Amino acid sequence: MKVAIMGAGLSGLACAIILEQQGIYPTIFEKRSRVGDRFVNMENIFNILERPVSDSLNYLKDTYGITLKPISEVKEITAHSKNRKGHLKGNFGYSNIRGRHEDSFENQLLLKIKSQIIYNSQCSYNELLKDYSHIVIATGNGEDAASMKNYTQDLQVSIIGATIGGEFNPSHISTWYNNDFAPKGYGYLVPFSQSRAQISIAYPEYIKEDRIDKDELWSRFCQEVQEDVGNNLNITDNFSIKGYKVGICKKPKINNTYFTGNCFGAIMPAYGCGQIPAMLTGIYAALDICRKGSYDELTKPLRQSYEDSLVLRRGLEKLDNDKLDVLVSILNRNLTSRALDKSVEFNFLKLISKFLKPFIRD
Ligand SMILES: Cc1cc2nc3c(=O)[nH]c(=O)nc-3n(C[C@H](O)[C@H](O)[C@H](O)COP(=O)(O)OP(=O)(O)OC[C@H]3O[C@@H](n4cnc5c(N)ncnc54)[C@H](O)[C@@H]3O)c2cc1C
């Protein structure tokens, strides 16, 4: 058996770890010159979005022996809408680092593998097919799946972000729901540390490009953050992504080719969270290759979560600023904090998608 993994990101490296546990050493082909060779950013894992598991990082450690160290737990969330503010306290999940940083999740995973990584790889899927019995596509995008007509794209997102200096509590994140600067999307602040945080807006690219002035949105958002957080924004770094595709493959596996991570459909459309599904798809592909599970079966709950999350996205997109004010007011209630806490194990996405489905038909 010869296994090739295209992409040394979350899903590819998680796949390699599990294969190695079973004595199989894949060859990993990575396009960039090293693991995580991209901008540094903060990402979140929200337990409520990863049901039925109540604590995703503990689950990865206990079930698959993969230990990952986050930057912080998330214990407080402040949600802002145009005229309201909601505050939640509980055990909501984690903040972790990505990209070039030595503690990024991809660099933590890299330390756990011995398999060969070929950097600066230009090898295409078709070239790898000639030499390998199994191919895991873990490239962080649906391009290869789309070229095989095995991918449905549901939305395309713009993300703008920056690192700011100031005083922050690492376990406290903030979010903004305001169509004036994040149309049909959201803004967020996630601290790297007590003195640095990342701020971002993410919004779907529905409105014709010429009607959106992204610099204007960004400057309105920065103003809002400054007012709400009370810090002077001392910006040290910027990033901007256009056309980030969110979609899902039609078949998770074709012959001995596995579509994992974002290529499977890991990014959940409502909030863009894809890290845990990405790692799980890598793990499940490895289990299938080792004949310890069926990739088609194991990925079924992730496909369901994707579909539920898409319903939630379509529902959120229908809310104007007044309705967002109502939503954020509801968050202020103790009951909401308790419901979102990790100790309560109801499946939020499933429940909300059932509720919203009748309202989102146009
Ligand atoms: C700005 C931003 C913020 C995000 N925030 C969150 C968040 O808060 N929470 C969350 O859970 N998720 C978040 N996500 C989504 C999450 O990062 C992804 O879902 C996850 O990283 C996908 O893992 P992956 O293995 O599919 O891809 P990646 O981890 O991106 O790895 C793909 C790897 O493949 C390599 N590659 C690409 N093409 C080729 C090729 N042809 N050949 C070889 N190698 C190739 C790349 O260089 C890269 O190393 C965010 C994404 C972005 C962009």
Side-chain angles (χ1 to χ4, degrees), residues 40-54:
V40 173
N41 69 313
M42 288 301 289
E43 299 193 0
N44 285 111
I45 289 165
F46 295 113
N47 292 314
I48 187 92
L49 302 178
E50 314 293 350
R51 297 296 187 240
V53 169
S54 63

Side-chain angles (χ1 to χ4, degrees), residues 39-42 158-164 186-189 192 197-203 214 218 221-222 235-242:
F39 62 91
V40 173
N41 69 313
M42 288 301 289
S158 278
I159 311 168
I160 309 171
T163 302
I164 58 169
Y186 49 87
Y188 55 93
L189 178 152
F192 285 102
Q198 184 199 308
I199 54 168
S200 296
I201 48 173
Y203 55 91
K214 79 176 178 59
W218 179 246
F221 174 59
C222 288
I235 292 186
T236 54
D237 249 327
N238 287 290
F239 69 85
S240 176
I241 299 173
K242 237 180 107 200

Side-chain angles (χ1 to χ4, degrees), residues 2-72:
K2 274 181 83 185
V3 182
I5 299 177
M6 281 178 84
L10 297 192
S11 58
L13 293 170
C15 182
I17 291 170
I18 303 300
L19 287 172
E20 288 189 11
Q21 285 174 4
Q22 303 297 322
I24 296 168
Y25 288 79
T27 306
I28 304 171
F29 295 83
E30 167 55 48
K31 187 172 82 173
R32 293 185 170 128
S33 59
R34 63 184 169 109
V35 167
D37 195 10
R38 67 156 172 88
F39 62 91
V40 173
N41 69 313
M42 288 301 289
E43 299 193 0
N44 285 111
I45 289 165
F46 295 113
N47 292 314
I48 187 92
L49 302 178
E50 314 293 350
R51 297 296 187 240
V53 169
S54 63
D55 183 324
S56 308
L57 292 188
N58 277 342
Y59 177 76
L60 287 181
K61 183 175 74 184
D62 296 344
T63 316
Y64 300 110
I66 299 177
T67 307
L68 287 167
K69 266 178 46 198
I71 291 290
S72 176

Side-chain angles (χ1 to χ4, degrees), residues 12 14 50 68 87 91 101 112 116 143 147 157 172 179 213 248 257 268 282 300 343-344:
E50 314 293 350
L68 287 167
H87 198 69
N91 295 300
H101 196 280
K112 301 177 197 304
Q116 184 192 15
E143 276 169 29
S147 72
V157 181
H172 184 179
N179 289 308
D213 180 345
I248 190 157
T257 295
M268 296 294 142
K300 270 185 184 161
S343 50
V344 182

Side-chain angles (χ1 to χ4, degrees), residues 177-247:
Y177 301 93
N178 185 331
N179 289 308
D180 295 348
F181 52 75
K184 299 179 191 289
Y186 49 87
Y188 55 93
L189 178 152
V190 184
F192 285 102
S193 64
Q194 288 181 337
S195 58
R196 276 192 323 133
Q198 184 199 308
I199 54 168
S200 296
I201 48 173
Y203 55 91
E205 297 168 356
Y206 294 131
I207 305 164
K208 272 202 176 128
E209 193 59 22
D210 54 8
R211 283 178 49 208
I212 281 206
D213 180 345
K214 79 176 178 59
D215 295 335
E216 176 64 28
L217 295 182
W218 179 246
S219 112
R220 276 190 223 156
F221 174 59
C222 288
Q223 236 172 349
E224 188 81 14
V225 173
Q226 199 155 313
E227 279 164 27
D228 289 337
V229 180
N231 275 326
N232 269 336
L233 300 191
N234 171 18
I235 292 186
T236 54
D237 249 327
N238 287 290
F239 69 85
S240 176
I241 299 173
K242 237 180 107 200
Y244 190 63
K245 293 178 177 50
V246 178

